[in-house]
Amino acid sequence: MKHIARKRFGQHFLTDAAIIDGIVDLIGPLPGQAMVEIGPGLAALTQPLVERLGHLTVIELDRDLAVRLRDHPHLSVVESDVLKVDFSALASQVRSSLESTPSFVPSLSHSDSPCKLRVVGNLPYNISTPILFHLLDHVDVISDQHFMLQKEVIDRMVAAPSTADYGRLSVMLQWRYEMANILFVPPASFDPPPRVDSAIVRMVPLAVPPPIDVEVLSSLVQVAFSQRRKILRNTLGKWLDAQGFSGHFDLQRRAEEVSVHEYVDLVQSLKSVH
Protein backbone atom coordinates (compact mmCIF):
# COMPACT_ATOMS: atom_id res chain seq x y z
CA MET A 1 0.00 0.00 0.00
CA LYS A 2 1.32 3.43 -0.93
CA HIS A 3 2.14 5.63 2.04
CA ILE A 4 0.43 9.04 1.91
CA ALA A 5 2.62 11.92 3.13
CA ARG A 6 1.30 13.31 6.41
CA LYS A 7 1.20 17.07 6.71
CA ARG A 8 1.38 17.02 10.52
CA PHE A 9 4.80 15.33 10.28
CA GLY A 10 6.00 17.72 7.57
CA GLN A 11 6.57 14.77 5.23
CA HIS A 12 8.06 15.36 1.77
CA PHE A 13 9.66 12.21 0.36
CA LEU A 14 12.83 12.43 -1.72
CA THR A 15 12.39 10.64 -5.05
CA ASP A 16 15.09 12.03 -7.39
CA ALA A 17 17.61 9.20 -7.97
CA ALA A 18 20.39 11.52 -9.17
CA ILE A 19 20.01 13.78 -6.14
CA ILE A 20 19.95 10.77 -3.83
CA ASP A 21 23.18 9.41 -5.32
CA GLY A 22 24.78 12.85 -5.02
CA ILE A 23 23.83 13.17 -1.36
CA VAL A 24 25.16 9.73 -0.47
CA ASP A 25 28.43 10.46 -2.27
CA LEU A 26 28.81 13.74 -0.36
CA ILE A 27 28.16 11.97 2.96
CA GLY A 28 30.66 9.25 2.06
CA PRO A 29 29.52 6.48 4.44
CA LEU A 30 32.05 3.71 5.15
CA PRO A 31 31.59 0.20 6.58
CA GLY A 32 31.76 0.15 10.36
CA GLN A 33 30.79 3.77 10.93
CA ALA A 34 28.13 4.52 13.55
CA MET A 35 25.44 6.44 11.69
CA VAL A 36 21.95 7.59 12.62
CA GLU A 37 19.37 8.78 10.11
CA ILE A 38 16.59 11.11 11.28
CA GLY A 39 13.28 10.68 9.47
CA PRO A 40 14.08 7.91 6.96
CA GLY A 41 10.55 8.05 5.53
CA LEU A 42 10.29 5.70 2.53
CA ALA A 43 14.00 4.80 2.78
CA ALA A 44 15.17 6.70 -0.31
CA LEU A 45 18.45 7.61 1.43
CA THR A 46 18.30 4.75 3.90
CA GLN A 47 18.84 1.95 1.42
CA PRO A 48 21.97 3.33 -0.32
CA LEU A 49 23.38 4.34 3.07
CA VAL A 50 22.93 0.91 4.62
CA GLU A 51 24.42 -0.74 1.53
CA ARG A 52 27.67 1.12 2.21
CA LEU A 53 27.57 0.96 6.00
CA GLY A 54 26.37 -2.58 6.62
CA HIS A 55 24.06 -1.39 9.42
CA LEU A 56 22.15 1.81 10.13
CA THR A 57 20.09 3.16 13.03
CA VAL A 58 17.04 5.22 12.07
CA ILE A 59 14.71 7.47 14.07
CA GLU A 60 11.12 7.55 12.78
CA LEU A 61 8.05 9.06 14.44
CA ASP A 62 5.44 7.81 11.96
CA ARG A 63 4.22 4.46 13.31
CA ASP A 64 3.26 3.06 9.91
CA LEU A 65 6.68 3.86 8.44
CA ALA A 66 8.43 2.44 11.52
CA VAL A 67 6.61 -0.88 11.00
CA ARG A 68 7.84 -1.05 7.40
CA LEU A 69 11.40 -0.15 8.38
CA ARG A 70 11.55 -2.94 10.98
CA ASP A 71 11.27 -5.47 8.17
CA HIS A 72 14.72 -4.43 6.95
CA PRO A 73 17.35 -6.85 8.32
CA HIS A 74 20.11 -4.26 8.60
CA LEU A 75 18.22 -1.45 10.33
CA SER A 76 17.73 -0.64 14.01
CA VAL A 77 14.55 1.43 14.36
CA VAL A 78 14.00 3.98 17.12
CA GLU A 79 10.31 4.91 17.00
CA SER A 80 10.31 8.31 18.67
CA ASP A 81 10.06 12.05 18.37
CA VAL A 82 13.67 13.03 17.61
CA LEU A 83 13.45 15.88 20.13
CA LYS A 84 13.02 13.26 22.88
CA VAL A 85 15.99 11.13 21.82
CA ASP A 86 19.05 11.19 24.07
CA PHE A 87 21.78 11.14 21.43
CA SER A 88 24.52 10.71 24.03
CA ALA A 89 22.95 7.45 25.20
CA LEU A 90 22.15 6.46 21.62
CA ALA A 91 25.80 6.85 20.61
CA SER A 92 26.84 4.25 23.18
CA GLN A 93 24.03 1.90 22.16
CA VAL A 94 24.83 2.13 18.45
CA ARG A 95 28.54 1.54 18.97
CA SER A 96 27.95 -1.42 21.30
CA SER A 97 25.51 -2.92 18.82
CA LEU A 98 27.97 -2.53 15.94
CA GLU A 99 30.86 -4.04 17.85
CA SER A 100 28.79 -7.07 18.82
CA THR A 101 28.07 -7.85 15.16
CA PRO A 102 30.27 -10.75 13.93
CA SER A 103 30.97 -9.01 10.61
CA PHE A 104 31.93 -5.69 12.26
CA VAL A 105 35.00 -4.02 10.78
CA PRO A 106 36.09 -0.69 12.32
CA SER A 107 36.14 2.18 9.84
CA LEU A 108 39.57 3.18 8.60
CA SER A 109 38.50 6.77 7.93
CA HIS A 110 40.99 9.20 9.50
CA SER A 111 38.13 11.49 10.54
CA ASP A 112 36.02 8.79 12.12
CA SER A 113 35.89 8.50 15.89
CA PRO A 114 35.01 5.04 17.23
CA CYS A 115 32.80 6.61 19.90
CA LYS A 116 30.96 9.21 17.85
CA LEU A 117 27.91 9.29 15.62
CA ARG A 118 27.50 10.50 12.08
CA VAL A 119 23.99 11.99 11.86
CA VAL A 120 22.07 12.47 8.62
CA GLY A 121 18.51 13.22 7.65
CA ASN A 122 15.84 15.06 5.73
CA LEU A 123 14.60 17.23 8.59
CA PRO A 124 10.94 18.30 8.79
CA TYR A 125 10.80 21.98 7.87
CA ASN A 126 8.43 22.82 10.72
CA ILE A 127 10.80 21.72 13.49
CA SER A 128 14.23 21.89 11.85
CA THR A 129 15.62 24.62 14.12
CA PRO A 130 14.57 22.88 17.39
CA ILE A 131 16.23 19.69 16.11
CA LEU A 132 19.49 21.56 15.39
CA PHE A 133 19.53 23.01 18.91
CA HIS A 134 18.66 19.63 20.43
CA LEU A 135 21.65 18.07 18.67
CA LEU A 136 23.85 20.95 19.84
CA ASP A 137 23.25 19.67 23.39
CA HIS A 138 24.83 16.35 22.34
CA VAL A 139 27.55 17.66 20.03
CA ASP A 140 30.33 15.96 22.02
CA VAL A 141 29.20 12.53 20.76
CA ILE A 142 28.79 13.58 17.10
CA SER A 143 31.52 13.52 14.46
CA ASP A 144 29.52 15.20 11.68
CA GLN A 145 26.01 16.01 10.47
CA HIS A 146 24.52 16.16 6.96
CA PHE A 147 20.99 17.49 6.74
CA MET A 148 18.52 18.41 4.08
CA LEU A 149 16.77 21.59 5.13
CA GLN A 150 14.87 24.49 3.71
CA LYS A 151 17.46 26.47 1.75
CA GLU A 152 16.40 29.65 3.51
CA VAL A 153 17.32 28.09 6.87
CA ILE A 154 20.73 26.95 5.61
CA ASP A 155 21.39 30.44 4.23
CA ARG A 156 20.91 31.74 7.77
CA MET A 157 23.03 28.97 9.30
CA VAL A 158 26.10 29.69 7.15
CA ALA A 159 25.66 33.47 6.77
CA ALA A 160 28.60 35.84 7.22
CA PRO A 161 28.41 39.03 9.34
CA SER A 162 27.01 42.19 7.74
CA THR A 163 24.57 40.24 5.57
CA ALA A 164 20.78 40.10 5.74
CA ASP A 165 20.78 36.37 6.59
CA TYR A 166 23.22 36.70 9.51
CA GLY A 167 21.42 36.40 12.82
CA ARG A 168 20.91 34.45 16.01
CA LEU A 169 20.91 31.05 14.26
CA SER A 170 24.21 31.90 12.52
CA VAL A 171 25.97 32.75 15.78
CA MET A 172 24.50 29.91 17.86
CA LEU A 173 25.70 27.29 15.37
CA GLN A 174 28.91 28.81 13.99
CA TRP A 175 30.54 29.09 17.42
CA ARG A 176 30.49 25.27 17.53
CA TYR A 177 30.47 23.98 13.93
CA GLU A 178 32.25 24.40 10.63
CA MET A 179 29.35 24.53 8.16
CA ALA A 180 28.85 24.60 4.41
CA ASN A 181 25.93 24.54 1.99
CA ILE A 182 27.02 21.67 -0.27
CA LEU A 183 24.09 20.83 -2.58
CA PHE A 184 20.95 22.53 -3.93
CA VAL A 185 17.80 20.37 -4.05
CA PRO A 186 14.81 21.66 -6.09
CA PRO A 187 11.16 21.08 -5.10
CA ALA A 188 10.67 18.67 -8.04
CA SER A 189 12.98 16.19 -6.26
CA PHE A 190 10.22 15.44 -3.72
CA ASP A 191 6.78 13.85 -3.56
CA PRO A 192 4.79 15.91 -2.76
CA PRO A 193 6.91 18.90 -3.90
CA PRO A 194 7.38 21.45 -1.11
CA ARG A 195 6.74 25.13 -1.79
CA VAL A 196 10.34 26.00 -0.95
CA ASP A 197 13.82 25.22 -2.23
CA SER A 198 15.94 22.80 -0.21
CA ALA A 199 19.66 22.23 0.24
CA ILE A 200 22.15 19.98 2.02
CA VAL A 201 24.26 21.38 4.84
CA ARG A 202 27.43 19.77 6.21
CA MET A 203 28.10 20.47 9.91
CA VAL A 204 31.40 19.41 11.48
CA PRO A 205 31.93 20.14 15.19
CA LEU A 206 35.03 22.21 15.89
CA ALA A 207 37.85 20.05 17.26
CA VAL A 208 38.73 22.65 19.90
CA PRO A 209 35.64 24.77 20.60
CA PRO A 210 35.94 27.93 22.71
CA PRO A 211 35.05 27.35 26.37
CA ILE A 212 31.87 29.34 26.93
CA ASP A 213 28.60 29.28 28.84
CA VAL A 214 26.14 28.46 26.04
CA GLU A 215 23.14 29.75 28.01
CA VAL A 216 24.80 33.14 28.43
CA LEU A 217 25.67 33.23 24.71
CA SER A 218 22.07 32.38 23.85
CA SER A 219 20.68 35.14 26.08
CA LEU A 220 23.21 37.68 24.82
CA VAL A 221 22.57 36.94 21.15
CA GLN A 222 18.80 36.92 21.61
CA VAL A 223 18.94 40.41 23.12
CA ALA A 224 21.38 41.66 20.48
CA PHE A 225 19.17 40.57 17.57
CA SER A 226 15.84 41.43 19.22
CA GLN A 227 15.77 44.75 17.37
CA ARG A 228 18.34 44.31 14.64
CA ARG A 229 17.75 47.72 13.06
CA LYS A 230 18.82 49.49 16.25
CA ILE A 231 22.41 49.99 17.32
CA LEU A 232 23.51 47.73 20.14
CA ARG A 233 23.77 50.56 22.66
CA ASN A 234 19.96 50.62 22.78
CA THR A 235 19.54 46.87 23.25
CA LEU A 236 22.61 44.92 24.28
CA GLY A 237 24.07 47.90 26.14
CA LYS A 238 21.33 47.82 28.76
CA TRP A 239 21.69 44.04 29.11
CA LEU A 240 25.45 44.33 29.63
CA ASP A 241 24.96 47.01 32.27
CA ALA A 242 22.63 44.66 34.14
CA GLN A 243 25.37 42.02 34.04
CA GLY A 244 27.85 44.43 35.62
CA PHE A 245 30.03 44.52 32.50
CA SER A 246 32.53 47.38 32.53
CA GLY A 247 34.89 46.32 29.74
CA HIS A 248 35.17 47.69 26.23
CA PHE A 249 32.81 46.58 23.48
CA ASP A 250 31.82 48.69 20.50
CA LEU A 251 28.07 49.21 20.90
CA GLN A 252 27.84 51.73 18.06
CA ARG A 253 27.06 48.86 15.67
CA ARG A 254 24.08 46.76 14.73
CA ALA A 255 23.96 43.14 15.85
CA GLU A 256 24.62 41.83 12.35
CA GLU A 257 27.95 43.70 12.20
CA VAL A 258 29.45 41.74 15.10
CA SER A 259 31.34 38.53 14.25
CA VAL A 260 30.81 35.20 15.97
CA HIS A 261 34.32 35.50 17.40
CA GLU A 262 33.46 38.85 19.00
CA TYR A 263 30.26 37.48 20.56
CA VAL A 264 32.22 34.55 21.99
CA ASP A 265 34.91 36.88 23.36
CA LEU A 266 32.22 39.01 25.00
CA VAL A 267 30.68 35.98 26.71
CA GLN A 268 34.11 34.92 27.97
CA SER A 269 34.76 38.41 29.37
CA LEU A 270 31.42 38.32 31.18
CA LYS A 271 32.56 35.19 32.99
CA SER A 272 35.30 37.20 34.69
CA VAL A 273 32.70 39.69 35.94
CA HIS A 274 31.03 36.97 37.97
Side-chain angles (χ1 to χ4, degrees):
M1 181 183 295
K2 181 180 179 181
H3 182 85
I4 305 300
R6 291 173 174 168
K7 188 174 292 186
R8 74 177 186 274
F9 292 152
Q11 290 176 341
H12 295 275
F13 299 117
L14 190 61
T15 57
D16 187 321
I19 289 288
I20 292 167
D21 289 344
I23 294 170
V24 174
D25 286 343
L26 287 168
I27 294 171
L30 296 172
Q33 289 181 328
M35 186 173 288
V36 172
E37 182 185 7
I38 297 170
L42 297 177
L45 274 177
T46 310
Q47 184 58 35
L49 286 173
V50 79
E51 285 173 4
R52 297 201 195 185
L53 293 162
H55 190 88
L56 176 65
T57 297
V58 298
I59 300 170
E60 179 55 65
L61 176 60
D62 188 315
R63 183 180 302 174
D64 292 341
L65 291 176
V67 169
R68 293 188 184 195
L69 291 162
R70 285 196 183 93
D71 289 336
H72 197 297
H74 302 295
L75 294 182
S76 295
V77 181
V78 178
E79 186 179 332
S80 174
D81 178 346
V82 66
L83 295 176
K84 297 179 180 178
V85 173
D86 182 339
F87 278 85
S88 298
L90 184 60
S92 297
Q93 294 168 13
V94 170
R95 178 50 57 178
S96 296
S97 177
L98 279 175
E99 291 176 349
S100 65
T101 303
S103 59
F104 173 72
V105 178
S107 169
L108 299 179
S109 169
H110 70 279
S111 61
D112 183 57
S113 168
C115 302
K116 295 190 176 184
L117 293 177
R118 304 191 70 194
V119 186
V120 303
N122 176 9
L123 301 189
Y125 296 151
N126 53 343
I127 58 166
S128 58
T129 299
I131 291 173
L132 292 171
F133 282 117
H134 178 59
L135 286 164
L136 183 59
D137 291 336
H138 301 277
V139 66
D140 290 338
V141 299
I142 294 171
S143 62
D144 65 8
Q145 300 173 167
H146 291 82
F147 295 132
M148 184 181 303
L149 293 161
Q150 189 172 338
K151 181 179 177 296
E152 178 183 299
V153 174
I154 294 180
D155 288 343
R156 288 162 45 208
M157 292 166 65
V158 304
S162 299
T163 63
D165 289 323
Y166 184 73
R168 178 173 177 264
L169 187 63
S170 317
V171 178
M172 290 306 300
L173 295 177
Q174 289 180 30
W175 83 268
R176 192 62 181 85
Y177 298 95
E178 290 273 0
M179 294 187 296
N181 180 344
I182 58 174
L183 184 68
F184 174 75
V185 185
S189 298
F190 299 89
D191 181 24
R195 296 179 181 178
V196 297
D197 290 330
S198 303
I200 304 294
V201 65
R202 174 179 288 140
M203 306 174 66
V204 181
L206 297 176
V208 186
I212 62 168
D213 186 321
V214 181
E215 290 185 7
V216 174
L217 177 65
S218 179
S219 297
L220 186 155
V221 173
Q222 187 168 5
V223 171
F225 284 96
S226 61
Q227 300 178 68
R228 58 185 299 149
R229 286 186 169 274
K230 292 189 175 182
I231 63 171
L232 289 171
R233 184 180 59 181
N234 298 318
T235 53
L236 188 59
K238 297 175 182 178
W239 187 88
L240 288 173
D241 287 342
Q243 305 300 311
F245 178 71
S246 58
H248 174 71
F249 187 80
D250 182 6
L251 295 169
Q252 296 301 118
R253 299 175 288 174
R254 292 187 175 92
E256 66 192 46
E257 298 176 283
V258 181
S259 70
V260 175
H261 177 73
E262 288 179 283
Y263 279 121
V264 168
D265 283 350
L266 182 55
V267 170
Q268 291 174 329
S269 64
L270 281 171
K271 185 177 181 180
S272 63
V273 172
H274 303 286

